[in-house]
Amino acid sequence: MFDISPTEWTAILLSLKVAVIATLISTPLGIAVAWLLARREFWGKAILDAVIYLPLVLPPVVTGYLLLLTLGKRGLIGGWLAEHLGIVFAFRWTGAALACGVMSFPLLVRPIRLSIEAVDRKLEQAASTLGAAPWKVFATVTLPLAMPGVLAGIVLGFAKAIGEFGATITFVSNIPGETQTISSAIYSLIQTPDGDTAALRLVMISVSIAVAALIASEWFARRATRRLHGN
């Protein structure tokens, strides 16, 4: 039951690699977008808001197909990237990271936005009055106070990226050793004879990673909150 095969180890390590890279790349952009939505009013804000949260309501397969049409080798953007820069996302692990980043982005942005909205603007105004530049106000006042939400968003995004399946398998397929993550490996195993034991093993590992991520999110959030209150 607990004898993990080399193929399964490859899928586990690839899932962790894809989720970590997707989260690292998405976090700075997610913080910027969350701040923009929380602190600025502009034409098209509602449209941007809808686009960001669209992956939550669209079937994941639709998102993956749109990524394939856009960033595939013959896609509107993917064709140019492949021809001029040699960058290919479709059917590569980098494409899996991209798909996971897109699918997890709404879950990353939402708690960060709520935390920034909860920050007292009078504190930001006081820092500005004392001569702090806007970027310094954000770095020294807004971001530290919003840190519990940032940590929660990061961990939720990571957990979503670990479990992503529909968009990933549509965009990069299910290639062992290249794009086969835990989710796609489970999908393959449940369709093969005598694959139930291995599938259950990967399910248990996936659940363990997700639970550990959620516990870590709660621990970091509480720790950040205590520090903000001087405890």
Side-chain angles (χ1 to χ4, degrees):
M1 177 63 188
F2 298 101
D3 186 16
I4 302 175
S5 68
T7 302
E8 292 166 25
W9 271 119
T10 300
I12 294 167
L13 294 176
L14 180 62
S15 293
L16 291 172
K17 177 182 178 181
V18 164
V20 167
I21 291 177
T23 304
L24 288 176
I25 294 176
S26 298
T27 297
L29 180 60
I31 293 173
V33 170
W35 177 86
L36 185 66
L37 293 173
R39 286 290 187 259
R40 290 289 183 267
E41 295 294 333
F42 53 89
W43 185 90
K45 180 178 178 179
I47 297 175
L48 176 61
D49 197 40
V51 169
I52 289 170
Y53 295 113
L54 198 58
L56 287 180
V57 295
L58 279 178
V61 174
V62 173
T63 303
Y65 185 62
L66 291 175
L67 287 173
L68 189 61
L69 291 178
T70 306
L71 295 171
K73 278 190 175 183
R74 298 181 180 179
L76 298 174
I77 300 175
W80 185 89
L81 290 175
E83 182 178 352
H84 294 87
L85 301 178
I87 299 174
V88 178
F89 288 108
F91 309 110
R92 304 283 177 86
W93 73 266
T94 51
L98 176 63
C100 288
V102 170
M103 293 300 297
S104 65
F105 196 69
L107 295 177
L108 175 74
V109 170
R110 184 62 178 171
I112 300 175
R113 177 183 179 180
L114 292 176
S115 290
I116 292 176
E117 289 176 343
V119 173
D120 191 346
R121 291 197 175 190
K122 292 180 180 179
L123 297 175
E124 297 173 333
Q125 292 169 358
S128 298
T129 302
L130 292 173
W135 67 268
K136 195 168 185 180
V137 172
F138 174 78
T140 60
V141 178
T142 310
L143 188 59
L145 291 175
M147 192 53 64
V150 173
L151 294 175
I154 289 173
V155 177
L156 284 175
F158 174 80
K160 173 62 177 175
I162 281 286
E164 173 51 35
F165 173 70
T168 303
I169 199 170
T170 304
F171 185 40
V172 298
S173 190
N174 184 11
I175 307 171
E178 178 65 31
T179 65
Q180 188 177 76
T181 60
I182 292 178
S183 299
S184 53
I186 293 172
Y187 175 74
S188 295
L189 287 169
I190 61 177
Q191 297 185 77
T192 58
D194 302 322
D196 290 343
T197 301
L200 180 59
R201 186 163 51 236
L202 288 179
V203 167
M204 293 172 62
I205 292 172
S206 180
V207 170
S208 299
I209 293 173
V211 171
L214 293 174
I215 292 174
S217 171
E218 183 67 19
W219 185 83
F220 281 121
R222 289 186 178 183
R223 184 177 176 85
T225 301
R226 287 198 300 267
R227 289 185 63 184
L228 288 175
H229 289 87
N231 297 329

